Amino acid sequence: MEQVREQQAGGVAIAAPVPAASATLAAGLDRGPEGTVSGDLIQQLRVLEDMKSAISSLQAKIAVAFDLAQRQEQARNGVPASERGKGVAAQVALARRESPNKGSRLLGLAKALVTEMPHTMAALESGQLNEWRATLLVKETACLSVEHRAAVDEEIAPDTGTFDGAGDKAITAAVKAAAYRRDPCTVTERAAHAASERYVSLRPAPDTMTYLTALLPVAQGVAVFAALTRHAGTARSDGDTRSKGQVMADTLVERTTGNAAGYTGIDLQLVMTDRALLAGDSEPARLTGYGIVPAGWARELLSNSQGSDGPGAYYQDFNVWVRRLYTAPRTGELLATDSRARFFPPGIRRFIETRDNTCRTPYCDAPIRHLDHVIPWHSGGTTTVDNGTGLCEACNHTKENPGWTATPEAGSRHTLRVNTPTGHSYQSQAPPLPGYRRT
């Protein structure tokens, strides 16, 4: 991108694209090698990919400049040095339509590229790297000192050919090797520390399935997999008709929960209409913590079906409790209750968690961890479902920073507006419950 203008923001020079960028694109769309339509289309894809990388590098520079500008403004407003910079990543996330967690990672990437890794930044600007591969380089050098990181950055500079035709794994391997050569002690210590970061996570998968992921030390991970594989081999040799993968999955569930059905008195909170439950209606249901599930699947789950393929075959001992939820016919708004308490009582808490489903911050779909007053309780806000909202822990802490406010708004469903320190605002509306029809 040749036509740019220089801007100065927060002490960082930013090269910003001008409207003539379209002319740059047109200039790059030359005829392919053979002058064919196919050649032209491939050439367009390459030019657009290079532009995406260049834009990513520009976004990184702007993010760093914004961070510096916010810190300067906070200093002028008397914010203590230890508190400056809080909420910056959340604003970056909102501007880029990403979750707060992703915004924090994007800001960290930007700082590393702009201040410590000029060669990687140059590769991003020229299109030799995309944003994801630049992230891999930053991630693999995160444990190094500034000096060692700069040395690795120089060693794998674009003119060394490191990135030519290389995929993610090849680039990661090259960076790991360079990092180890520069500082083997730190890299070794990092590997030893990694065991403390073990965790288990759950995320939705298509077709009412989930991905259960465990990050384990290599010896433990290999041992778990070997034990499941060995058990599956024994079961198959004894005539078990399940596939190897099915036996391994079922064994993992049984050994973890102590129950072949895989549950131990957990409230699944399956939300569906009475028509879908009792009259065979096809309106999808919603499973808290997962998302939308087919009505037939939900009915079979609740009926404890003995069929060989349905979910009821795996959950034959469910105790089914039905809680009636009443919604407004035209808007799908869940009807409200009230309380004089400062803390949300269990009934209202369950009500808000069912209504909001996930964190109400725009673009954040993290699980609800905190229930919060939209208008703070100390400012006269009431403990009601209208003034309550579900937030993840990070977003609840972010909204307490100076300049952040939230206000209720009129809407067909529970609606609030999030206002950031820069004066930008973002609307958040509760997701529709099963049975709602858009008109």
Side-chain angles (χ1 to χ4, degrees):
M1 300 174 64
E2 298 176 354
Q3 301 183 26
V4 299
R5 63 173 180 267
E6 293 293 325
Q7 294 182 348
Q8 193 77 16
V12 175
I14 305 171
V18 298
S22 57
T24 304
L25 173 60
L29 302 184
D30 298 328
R31 286 283 178 181
E34 303 297 330
T36 63
V37 173
S38 296
D40 291 345
L41 294 174
I42 287 295
Q43 184 67 12
Q44 291 180 44
L45 288 176
R46 170 51 66 87
V47 172
L48 290 170
E49 190 65 28
D50 289 346
M51 289 182 68
K52 283 167 57 180
S53 296
I55 290 171
S56 294
S57 70
L58 180 56
Q59 285 180 312
K61 293 178 180 179
I62 292 173
V64 172
F66 173 68
D67 178 62
L68 292 173
Q70 281 279 280
R71 291 173 183 273
Q72 292 171 359
E73 292 173 12
Q74 291 170 353
R76 288 195 296 269
N77 292 331
V79 176
S82 61
E83 300 293 317
R84 295 171 196 166
K86 289 187 175 181
V88 172
Q91 295 181 74
V92 170
L94 288 168
R96 294 194 59 173
R97 297 189 175 96
E98 297 284 3
S99 69
N101 181 270
K102 181 69 176 292
S104 178
R105 285 185 278 133
L106 288 171
L107 181 58
L109 169 68
K111 290 181 177 180
L113 291 176
V114 172
T115 63
E116 299 176 5
M117 303 182 72
H119 296 286
T120 302
M121 172 61 91
L124 183 62
E125 288 178 326
S126 64
Q128 296 181 45
L129 284 178
N130 57 27
E131 189 175 52
W132 169 243
R133 289 180 176 173
T135 302
L136 294 177
L137 269 68
V138 171
K139 179 181 178 181
E140 294 300 332
T141 57
C143 65
L144 301 178
S145 65
V146 175
E147 294 77 10
H148 286 142
R149 176 179 251 180
V152 171
D153 178 60
E154 184 176 3
E155 181 177 335
I156 60 172
D159 56 10
T160 63
T162 304
F163 309 133
D164 297 340
D168 293 354
K169 292 182 179 179
I171 290 176
T172 301
V175 178
K176 283 184 176 180
Y180 186 78
R181 285 194 295 270
R182 295 290 176 179
D183 191 355
C185 293
T186 299
V187 175
T188 302
E189 290 174 0
R190 177 187 177 186
H193 174 73
S196 66
E197 299 176 344
R198 59 193 181 276
Y199 69 90
V200 177
S201 64
L202 184 73
R203 56 192 174 93
D207 304 323
T208 65
M209 302 292 281
T210 57
Y211 296 107
L212 176 65
T213 304
L215 179 65
L216 301 173
V218 62
Q220 295 179 4
V222 171
V224 169
F225 190 79
L228 294 174
T229 302
R230 184 167 55 250
H231 181 77
T234 301
R236 294 277 293 169
S237 64
D238 290 341
D240 196 318
T241 58
R242 293 173 296 173
S243 69
K244 176 184 175 182
Q246 290 173 335
V247 174
M248 293 175 68
D250 294 346
T251 304
L252 174 64
V253 170
E254 184 172 2
R255 291 184 177 180
T256 303
T257 65
N259 190 314
Y263 63 89
T264 52
I266 296 173
D267 184 357
L268 287 181
Q269 296 189 15
L270 178 68
V271 183
M272 60 193 306
T273 66
D274 54 351
R275 302 181 303 278
L277 175 62
L278 304 173
D281 190 78
S282 60
E283 176 69 32
R286 190 178 77 191
L287 185 62
T288 300
Y290 177 83
I292 299 300
V293 296
W297 184 93
R299 282 192 297 271
E300 195 168 352
L301 177 70
L302 297 178
S303 67
N304 296 334
S305 169
Q306 299 293 322
S308 59
D309 297 324
Y314 305 100
Y315 307 110
Q316 296 172 7
D317 300 318
F318 262 138
N319 292 319
V320 179
W321 290 77
V322 178
R323 299 189 185 103
R324 290 174 294 181
L325 303 175
Y326 295 94
T327 58
R330 294 185 178 180
T331 66
E333 175 74 11
L334 198 59
L335 302 182
T337 58
D338 197 357
S339 171
R340 296 181 180 180
R342 175 177 181 178
F343 299 101
F344 292 94
I348 293 182
R349 173 178 292 273
R350 184 168 57 241
F351 183 101
I352 294 174
E353 289 174 343
T354 300
R355 181 196 67 197
D356 292 352
N357 194 35
T358 59
C359 177
R360 284 291 297 278
T361 299
Y363 312 115
C364 182
D365 53 7
I368 293 174
R369 294 288 181 252
H370 295 172
L371 261 64
D372 191 61
H373 294 76
V374 179
I375 298 176
W377 187 82
H378 57 75
S379 299
T382 56
T383 305
T384 63
V385 294
D386 288 334
N387 193 48
T389 185
L391 298 173
C392 68
E393 184 174 358
C395 289
N396 191 31
H397 292 321
T398 295
K399 70 178 288 292
E400 298 301 323
N401 291 317
W404 288 81
T405 61
T407 54
E409 286 192 343
S412 59
R413 295 186 304 280
H414 186 262
T415 304
L416 58 91
R417 182 164 294 278
V418 178
N419 306 292
T420 68
T422 59
H424 292 80
S425 64
Y426 304 84
Q427 189 182 74
S428 170
Q429 189 173 65
L433 270 73
Y436 173 70
R437 296 285 194 276
R438 295 186 183 275
T439 58

